[in-house]
Each structure stands twice: as C-alpha cells, then as structure tokens.
Amino acid sequence: MLVLEILRGTSTRPSYELNAPVITLGRASTNTVVLTDYHLSGEHAQILREGNGYVFRDLRSTNGSAVERAGTRIPVDASRRHELGLEPGDLLLLGDSRAPVQIRVRYTAAEDAEIAERLIASRSIIDLPAVRDQIEHDPVSALKLYKAIQPLSGRLDQAAVLEAVADATFEVLARATHVTILLRSENEKDRFTLALQRERGGPNKPLEPGVDPVRASRAILRRVLTDRAAILTANAQEELPSSESIHSGQILSVIAVPLWRGEEITGLLQADNRRSAGMFDESDLEVALLVGAQAALALDNAGLVSRLKLAEERARGENVYLKKKEEKQRFPDIIGESPAMQQVFGQLDKVIDTRATVCIDGETGTGKELVASAIHYRSGRREKMFVAQNCAALPENLLESELFGHKRGAFTSADSDKKGLFEIADGGTLFLDEMGEMPLSLQAKLLRVLQEGTIRPVGATAEKQVDVRIICATNRDLAAEVEKGRFRSDLYYRLMVFPIRLPPLRERREDIPLLAKHFLTKYAAEYRVELPGFSQESLDALSSYAWPGNIRELENEIQRLVIQAEPNLPVEVTDLSPRLRKIEGTVAKVAPKKGTLKEMMDQVERWLISEALRDHNNNKTRTAATLGITREGLHKKLDKLGL
C-alpha cells in the first residue's frame, strides 16, 4: 500500500493510503489526489504500481516535477522520459520550483495493514471536547483525573514533566504496566526519539547499548501519524505476530495517544499492558486522550521555559561579548585607524558625557553627522531623540518654524499648532548642519536657547523650557565669517566650547582601503553580488586620488563599481571612474628629466609640493601638515625651489 503525506500544498486531506494500480494527481476534481494549488496542471502526474514498487510519471505538466532523494533533486523531465521509479522516503516536488507542492512517499508494511484490521477504537483531537464533557458528568472519574494531572501544572523542567506524565498515566489506567513517551526531534521532523520508558513502580529505564530507542511498535506510531488520532489495539501478541517490536515486548494491548501542538503532532504517549490478557477499553482510551492533551501542554510550557533560559544565557553572553567588542572598538560606525582619526576618537571620548556644545568643522562629505550621532548614542542622552536639520536646506521663515515650532494662525498656512525640533529633541540632541548658513535673526534666537534653555514658537506669547544638547557642523571658517559680520561673535564663542576638526580624506589616505572594503561589503550585500574584493592596483589608485568630495564621493564610487561589477571577479583599476584612472599617469608626470641626482630630486619635490598646495587651495599651514613639515620649513623649500 502506498502512503502519500502532503507536506506542502492545498488538499482536503493531510495524507492518503492508496492501493490502486494507477493514482493521478492534479488540480482537476477527477484526480485520485486533488491538489488545488494554482501552479499545478489539471492532470499533473501519475503514480503507477509495477510489481512491488511504484513509478512516478509527469504528464508533461506546465511547471514540471522533480523528486528529492537523500537531499538530491532529480528532475522528472524528457531526459528520463518523464518517468522515475519511486523509493520509500522520496519527496515529490510538483509545480513551481521556488515553492513546489511537497509530498512524502511511504510504503506501508504488512504490520501496518494488520494494525488497521485489529484496531479496536480511535479518537481524534476533534473528539476531545465531547470526551471532556462526558468525564465532567462523572464526578468520581473527574476527581480522579484532576488529581492525576494536577501535578503537571507545577513542573517547568522537561524531565520532571515526563515523570509526572508517566505517574498520571499509571494513576488513571489501572491495567497499564508500561508507559513510553516519544518526542519529535527538533532537528529531524520525521524522527521520534525515546524521552521516557517506565514500568509501573519502577524508575525511568536507561537506554541499552545497541537497542533501538523507539521500543514502541513502529506500526502503531505510523498508524497514529497517519490517522492523526489516538488508537486502541488489543491482544497484540496473538493477533500481530509479524510486528517484531510488539512481539518482543510481550505487549497484549496498547493505547497510543498523539501529543499535539496546534495541528502538529510533537510526540506520542503509549501505555502497554504486558502482564495479563485484560484489555484496555474505550473509556481507557478517552481518559488517555485527556491525559495526552494536558501532557502536551505541560511539555510545551517546559520547552518554552527551557528556550527562554537558553535565550537569556545567550543574550547574557552576547551582551558580554558586545560590551568587550565595544570597549575594543569605541566607535564601530566610524571607520578609521589613521593617526588623524585616532586624535578625533580621543576628543570624542572626552566630550561624550558632558553638556558641552560641540562644533564639528570639516569639508563636505567627511562624516560630520555620523560623528554627531556617535556622540549622542554613546552619551547618557541615548534614550531620547537625535534630530538633525540642515540650516541651508530651508528659507529663513520655514527654518524658524521648523526649529522653534509655531502656533495656529501664526501665518497664513499655519492651520494647527506644530512642535519644533527643539521641543521634539527635548532631553536629547539637536544636530545643526551647515551652521554658517543660518540667518542672523535666527542666530539671536539660538543664542537665547543656549543661554536660557528656553524657546518661543512663532506666534506664541509664552516661552517653553527645553533641555537640548546642541551639536553643530560647518564647512565654513566661522572666525572669518565673524570678522566679516556674517556671524554673531557671541554665538560663535558659545558654539566653540569644544571644536572638533574632521580631517579630509586626503589627510588620512591610509583609511581609504578600509573605507573602500566597508562600502564594497555593504553594497555587495544590498545588490546580492559576490565580489572577492579589490586588486592591489585598484586600491593604490583609490588611495592616490585626492577625493575632493571625501567619504561621500568614495561611497558613491564604490556603489557604482558594485552595480556594474562582474560577479566573482575582483575590482580592477580599469573598473574605476576616468577621473580616478588619471592617477595611472601620475608616475609619468612625476618622472623627472634626466640630470644629476640632485636636479631630478628637486624636480620631484617641486611637483609634490605644487600638488599639495593645489589640494589645499594654497593654504600653507595645512599643506605643511600634510607633508609632515613645519610652516617655516615649507617656506624655505618654496624659496629654494622658486615656487
């Protein structure tokens, strides 16, 4: 007999026991096994009996079929004339290959058929409410059952629950001499393992070496799984001589009850009578069904507690690990190992847990907002809001409303009250980017916030108290702006409590490979592309480029590379943008004309100093810092080289 178990698919039955010579499968109602999944054909496939075996035949369906055997997928297509011999345990895969209908194939043994013939009674889980009502109308039986299962509610350890289930089973089934509990393996869903095996009055038996841990009859277990019901068989030794496990156990009658978790069978509770000819009866089966329901609930609760304890231990271990990792890597979101960035990290360590206003100076694209957010999320204000606003993004009237809020009717389109960013960020941090672009009128209101800690929304008559830490950023020289009268000097000194300068990428070239690899990993994962990395030539070219747009420009370049890259091939210098590939001609540009060693060295030095001055817009202080010499030393070289 062939058994088809529907693991995935839409069918009116979870499994089929079939003995016909031809079995058809598909969406049409005339099929032996009707599967209404849209991606199957009306007559999708057949299973034909040949001798003692079966053959699967795909009827040239639209979306095809396959058989999975021992983890290997075997297409049933024209290469096999659309036919394949079946073996017990095969998995049929029908239709859409991404989400196919899955059907497990099993052959029933002789003992399975005999179990069906000798079955005395069965009870499905849907019979549980009626059985419970019947027991409740018998006060004596109800009290006995309650006393037997009551200890289950107080057990949270799985081993203790199993012992309590065995005790309850012996208590309510007077004829039971042995109790066996099987539980489904968490890793192998088709495998049941022995959880407990006890004799009446005896301890939990240890497993004997070389003995199959599932002592209970495999035929009975398969029957319970197929029928999805509790079953009662009797006089097993005499009537089922072919069932080896029943015979060797001297089992005279058996009650087997599935343990349920929703629609899934997670275990089996089996009670055996091995010492007398007295049979279990249907009332015993019904009581066992109730014990099984309570046992399943208690085991689920114990499993949940066990998983929670494991999760707690894992979380505790992860917290320790993350704390150690955090201590080792102070600012994991900010990438940089150069001396210039180590100096920035040192400044951040000092200012994070203070109330000081921080002003971040740096060229566009250097990561000013990233540093501001790092200050917030590493500080005591991390539980409150971090809010960012670009002061150059809005005109003056809208920026004032955005920062300080407004009252209804304050201006034409103000049809309701609105909270400003200062109020939203109360208790947290407000990051004001492009601070040098803020109009003078708003600078006065910001100064009042810094001095008094109060704001007044547009159109309001009363002030509100706020506790906001301000971090600002600019790519302008604010001192020069003060001299030109475009920035308030009193606000300047309020903001410059703790200035931090972010170096441009050309001053931290040793960080470019780290940043490039970080962005490559990020975008390769986003676009689902396998890329082994960069060639050394491409890294050299990236490191040699000036990067006027700094980290933002580098990120955009790497994103473009990933989009157009060939999978599984390293990024080569030829893949880079033309402006980066120009660096390949640098050696030719630097190559001096032939002459004495001193003359050639002077030519190289002149070119390098000229390029450094150009990179820094002729700022001699920064040029000297980049070249690693003093400003005075730079002036001497300029005079010497005639620059």
Side-chain angles (χ1 to χ4, degrees):
M1 183 178 293
L2 183 70
V3 177
L4 301 178
E5 184 181 358
I6 314 299
L7 302 182
R8 178 196 288 171
T10 307
S11 176
T12 57
R13 293 168 56 184
S15 64
Y16 294 80
E17 291 186 12
L18 304 165
N19 203 26
V22 179
I23 299 163
T24 58
L25 305 92
R27 284 191 298 112
S29 59
T30 54
N31 286 292
T32 313
V33 178
V34 179
L35 300 156
T36 58
D37 300 82
Y38 73 93
H39 52 89
L40 298 189
S41 299
E43 294 183 352
H44 194 95
Q46 290 179 339
I47 299 178
L48 311 173
R49 188 169 63 200
E50 289 191 359
N52 294 325
Y54 292 88
V55 172
F56 176 80
R57 175 184 294 165
D58 181 83
L59 299 177
R60 289 172 172 74
S61 59
T62 303
N63 291 315
S65 305
V67 173
E68 183 177 309
R69 180 176 298 162
T72 301
R73 187 179 184 277
I74 306 172
V76 184
D77 52 21
S79 64
R80 292 181 171 81
R81 298 183 180 180
H82 299 281
E83 290 186 354
L84 182 69
L86 291 177
E87 296 180 4
D90 280 350
L91 186 65
L92 303 183
L93 307 175
L94 310 182
D96 187 352
S97 60
R98 293 169 297 180
V101 171
Q102 297 182 0
I103 303 175
R104 179 72 67 189
V105 175
R106 292 193 293 107
Y107 296 175
T108 58
E111 60 188 49
D112 293 310
E114 292 177 15
I115 285 287
E117 294 175 4
R118 311 302 183 212
L119 190 66
I120 301 299
S122 68
R123 293 289 185 273
S124 170
I125 192 172
I126 62 175
D127 298 324
L128 189 60
V131 171
R132 186 180 290 116
D133 290 342
Q134 182 179 339
I135 292 290
E136 287 176 353
H137 284 86
D138 182 353
V140 175
S141 299
L143 180 61
K144 182 179 180 181
L145 178 63
Y146 172 77
K147 287 183 177 180
I149 64 176
Q150 194 275 334
L152 293 176
S153 60
R155 306 289 195 275
L156 295 178
D157 176 72
Q158 187 184 72
V161 171
L162 291 170
E163 290 291 342
V165 171
D167 290 339
T169 306
F170 284 129
E171 183 70 25
V172 298
L173 299 178
R175 295 186 182 90
T177 60
H178 293 75
V179 168
T180 303
I181 302 175
L182 309 178
L183 295 180
R184 186 189 291 267
S185 171
E186 290 293 332
N187 299 323
E188 301 177 53
K189 297 298 184 182
D190 294 331
R191 183 167 174 255
F192 286 77
T193 57
L194 182 67
L196 177 140
Q197 189 175 48
R198 258 184 56 184
E199 290 186 42
R200 181 179 289 274
N204 186 2
K205 284 189 173 182
L207 298 181
E208 299 176 16
V211 175
D212 186 340
V214 183
R215 177 70 173 173
S217 168
R218 292 184 185 85
I220 289 177
L221 174 60
R222 286 195 294 269
R223 187 72 198 189
V224 168
L225 293 174
T226 300
D227 288 0
R228 300 171 69 81
I231 64 171
L232 165 62
T233 64
N235 295 332
Q237 182 180 358
E238 297 174 10
E239 299 183 6
L240 299 178
S242 62
S243 181
E244 180 184 348
S245 55
I246 291 178
H247 182 77
S248 62
Q250 300 294 312
I251 299 172
L252 300 178
S253 58
V254 176
I255 287 177
V257 178
L259 305 179
W260 294 87
R261 182 189 296 137
E263 295 296 318
E264 180 186 11
I265 296 177
T266 59
L268 181 77
L269 170 62
Q270 180 167 313
D272 307 329
N273 173 10
R274 305 184 188 181
R275 292 179 182 157
S276 69
M279 296 192 306
F280 292 123
D281 56 30
E282 291 190 41
S283 64
D284 291 327
L285 178 63
E286 292 170 349
V287 170
L289 185 67
L290 294 173
V291 173
Q294 195 66 25
L297 179 61
L299 285 167
D300 269 356
N301 289 339
L304 177 60
V305 170
S306 176
R307 289 192 295 274
L308 288 174
K309 287 181 178 178
L310 184 62
E312 184 181 8
E313 291 175 5
R314 185 182 294 114
R316 190 181 299 114
E318 288 175 355
N319 286 339
V320 172
Y321 168 76
L322 291 174
K323 187 175 180 181
K324 290 180 179 178
K325 184 178 180 182
E326 189 177 88
E327 290 172 355
K328 182 178 179 182
Q329 193 174 3
R330 293 174 291 173
F331 301 97
D333 294 330
I334 305 175
I335 297 171
E337 297 179 356
S338 62
M341 287 307 298
Q342 293 305 315
Q343 185 178 356
V344 171
F345 293 151
Q347 290 179 293
L348 293 178
D349 282 333
K350 294 174 182 177
V351 79
I352 275 175
D353 285 320
T354 70
R355 293 178 54 85
T357 302
V358 177
C359 186
I360 305 171
D361 175 34
E363 297 178 7
T364 182
T366 50
K368 296 186 287 292
E369 184 171 346
L370 184 63
V371 171
S373 66
I375 293 173
H376 171 77
Y377 288 110
R378 291 292 298 266
S379 74
R381 295 173 176 262
R382 66 177 68 90
E383 301 300 328
K384 299 294 184 178
M385 292 285 289
F386 173 79
V387 182
Q389 175 61 47
N390 188 324
C391 297
L394 297 173
E396 180 178 347
N397 58 336
L398 291 181
L399 181 60
E400 181 180 8
S401 173
E402 192 71 17
L403 292 176
F404 301 101
H406 63 249
K407 302 295 288 184
R408 180 181 179 183
F411 44 87
T412 304
S413 60
D415 53 3
S416 62
D417 290 354
K418 176 186 175 182
K419 286 186 177 182
L421 297 183
F422 274 102
E423 195 172 351
I424 292 172
D426 190 17
T429 303
L430 176 61
F431 173 59
L432 298 175
D433 198 5
E434 304 295 350
M435 188 66 212
E437 306 294 333
M438 180 176 283
L440 283 168
S441 59
L442 289 187
Q443 291 178 25
K445 295 193 90 173
L446 178 60
L447 180 63
R448 182 167 183 80
V449 178
L450 291 172
Q451 290 175 333
E452 308 296 336
T454 59
I455 60 168
R456 180 180 294 175
V458 179
T461 57
E463 294 185 333
K464 294 182 179 181
Q465 195 76 28
V466 292
D467 172 24
V468 178
R469 183 180 191 176
I470 292 178
I471 301 176
C472 67
T474 181
N475 58 9
R476 288 192 177 191
D477 186 344
L478 290 185
E481 295 294 301
V482 170
E483 290 179 5
K484 295 174 183 177
R486 293 198 290 257
F487 202 86
R488 294 179 62 105
S489 60
D490 46 4
L491 178 60
Y492 171 78
Y493 292 117
R494 280 282 183 179
L495 294 176
M496 287 295 174
V497 175
F498 197 93
I500 296 177
R501 177 181 176 272
L502 292 186
L505 203 49
R506 61 181 173 274
E507 293 181 14
R508 41 181 294 218
R509 294 183 186 274
E510 53 267 64
D511 290 334
I512 292 175
L514 293 175
L515 289 162
K517 291 173 183 176
H518 166 75
F519 292 131
L520 186 74
T521 301
K522 171 185 173 181
Y523 287 110
E526 180 177 335
Y527 297 126
R528 298 180 181 178
V529 179
E530 292 289 337
L531 294 173
F534 296 90
S535 68
Q536 188 57 50
E537 292 79 6
S538 61
L539 284 178
D540 290 342
L542 291 171
S543 300
S544 301
Y545 181 62
W547 297 109
N550 293 294
I551 299 172
R552 186 180 296 119
E553 183 185 5
L554 174 62
E555 181 176 3
N556 292 341
E557 174 69 16
I558 302 305
Q559 185 178 9
R560 184 195 65 79
L561 287 173
V562 172
I563 291 173
Q564 69 174 21
E566 291 294 330
N568 302 312
L569 293 177
V571 176
E572 299 291 349
V573 69
T574 53
D575 298 324
L576 303 180
S577 298
R579 69 183 187 282
L580 273 74
R581 292 203 301 271
K582 288 179 181 178
I583 203 68
E584 296 177 81
T586 299
V587 175
K589 293 179 183 178
V590 178
K593 296 178 181 178
K594 289 185 178 181
T596 65
L597 177 61
K598 183 178 182 305
E599 289 172 342
M600 290 190 292
M601 291 298 294
D602 285 346
Q603 292 177 50
V604 172
E605 191 172 18
R606 182 181 291 106
W607 187 88
L608 292 173
I609 292 174
S610 298
E611 287 295 304
L613 284 168
R614 183 176 60 80
D615 287 344
H616 293 289
N617 297 318
N618 287 318
N619 185 311
K620 294 183 177 60
T621 301
R622 292 185 178 178
T623 300
T626 300
L627 294 173
I629 59 178
T630 64
R631 183 182 173 89
E632 292 74 14
L634 176 62
H635 277 292
K636 289 179 181 179
K637 288 184 178 293
L638 292 175
D639 292 339
K640 171 188 171 185
L641 299 171
L643 293 174

